[in-house]
Amino acid sequence: MIELTRQYGRYGYRRVAALLRDAGWQVNDKRVERLWRREGLKVPMKQPKKGRLWLNDGSCIRLRPEYRNHVWSYDFVHHRTDDGRAFRTLNILDEHSRECLAIRVKRKLNSTEVIDALTDLFILRGVPAYIRSDNGPEFIAEAVRDWIKAVGAKTAYIEPGSPWENGYCESFNGRMRDELLNGEIFYSLREAQIIIERWRTHYNTKRPHSALGYRPPAPEAIVPMDHRPIMH
C-alpha cells in the first residue's frame, strides 16, 4: 500500500485498494482505510463539484454517451519542457468508456493535426456517432467540421457564447495535470511524448476509475497459455 502511495501520490485509499485487489490482495476499502490512517497517509481532498449550464433549446449539450463509440470528445492541454519551450497535447476520449483513445504531443497543434489524429482513430476503431469539442479556434475550423461531416459523424460543438465546459475532457485534463504533468520534468519533447504515452497506457489499463466502479476503462486481457491457438 505504501509503495503504491509513493508511486501514485495523488490516489486516495479507494483507488489504492482497487489496485491492491487487482494485484491479488483480498482487502476491502475499510481495511485499507484503517491501514492508510494508521500509517499517517493523507487522503487527497475532493475537488468541489461544478454546476453545468445548458442551452435554452436543449440542443446537443444535453447529449449523454450511451455506448462505446457513441460520443468522443477532445481538447488541448498546454505545458512546457524544462527549457521553457511550450508544447501542447491533443487529448481524445471515449466519453462512455472513459478510455483515452490518443494523446498527441507536439510543439504546435492545429486543425490539420486534429484531422490527422482522428483519421488514425477512425481507421482503428471506426467512426463515432458524435464528436464533441470546445469552441476554441482549432475546433471550429471549417476544415475540421467539413471533414467530420464527410466521414459520417456528427459534431456536438458548444456554440459560442454558451458558458459550458466540456466536462469529460475537463475532468481528464485535470487528472492528467494533477497526476502526471505537475510531478514531472520533461527535458525534451521526445521525453514528454514517451512519458505521456506510458501514463495514457496506465490510465486506460490499470488506473481505477470511480465512475466505473473502480475498474480501469480498458483493462489488459491476459490469454492463458493453454487456451492460445496452436500454430501449424
Side-chain angles (χ1 to χ4, degrees):
M1 182 186 74
I2 293 173
E3 179 58 32
L4 287 171
T5 305
R6 286 198 193 100
Q7 191 172 357
Y8 307 113
R10 293 297 299 164
Y11 284 9
Y13 70 87
R14 289 188 181 88
R15 195 157 274 127
V16 168
L19 288 174
L20 287 170
R21 286 191 291 271
D22 185 60
W25 294 85
Q26 295 182 356
V27 292
N28 58 31
D29 288 359
K30 292 285 187 183
R31 179 174 177 79
V32 173
E33 184 184 16
R34 287 196 301 271
L35 294 171
W36 182 278
R37 296 190 184 282
R38 190 183 74 183
E39 296 297 328
L41 301 172
K42 292 184 178 180
V43 179
M45 293 182 63
K46 289 185 177 180
Q47 295 292 328
K49 293 183 178 180
K50 297 178 181 178
R52 293 177 180 175
L53 299 176
W54 313 94
L55 292 181
N56 291 329
D57 62 3
S59 58
C60 64
I61 293 177
R62 290 186 182 273
L63 180 65
R64 286 290 177 268
E66 298 176 1
Y67 50 86
R68 191 181 294 268
N69 270 11
H70 182 205
V71 185
W72 292 1
S73 58
Y74 60 96
D75 199 5
F76 282 157
V77 168
H78 300 256
H79 201 61
R80 292 181 183 275
T81 46
D82 188 55
D83 58 7
R85 296 178 62 196
F87 68 85
R88 307 173 85 187
T89 73
L90 171 64
N91 302 339
I92 306 175
L93 310 176
D94 184 309
E95 293 189 1
H96 183 265
S97 68
R98 302 301 205 275
E99 183 180 0
C100 177
L101 304 177
I103 301 178
R104 183 159 291 203
V105 182
K106 289 201 171 185
R107 293 292 182 189
K108 293 182 179 180
L109 288 165
N110 52 32
S111 59
T112 302
E113 294 287 349
V114 174
I115 292 173
D116 188 49
L118 289 174
T119 299
D120 291 345
L121 289 173
F122 286 4
I123 293 170
L124 290 171
R125 296 173 176 264
V127 179
Y130 291 90
I131 299 177
R132 191 196 318 256
S133 71
D134 206 342
N135 62 348
E138 293 85 5
F139 300 122
I140 60 174
E142 285 298 320
V144 177
R145 286 200 177 200
D146 292 345
W147 178 81
I148 289 174
K149 183 178 179 180
V151 297
K154 296 180 181 178
T155 54
Y157 283 89
I158 309 310
E159 294 301 328
S162 301
W164 184 85
E165 291 181 318
N166 190 345
Y168 292 91
C169 266
E170 288 291 330
S171 177
F172 175 83
N173 293 349
R175 288 184 174 89
M176 179 180 175
R177 191 168 293 284
D178 184 46
E179 296 175 10
L180 175 68
L181 299 181
N182 289 346
E184 292 282 353
I185 297 174
F186 302 115
Y187 292 103
S188 68
L189 182 66
R190 182 60 182 154
E191 183 182 36
Q193 291 169 338
I194 292 170
I195 292 174
I196 290 171
E197 179 60 21
R198 186 174 64 193
W199 180 83
R200 185 185 75 88
T201 300
H202 169 80
Y203 183 90
N204 286 335
T205 62
K206 297 292 185 183
R207 182 190 185 278
H209 288 241
S210 57
L212 301 175
Y214 287 93
R215 296 186 303 273
E220 291 176 315
I222 300 175
V223 180
M225 289 294 293
D226 55 349
H227 290 144
R228 293 179 181 177
I230 298 174
M231 302 300 292
H232 296 285

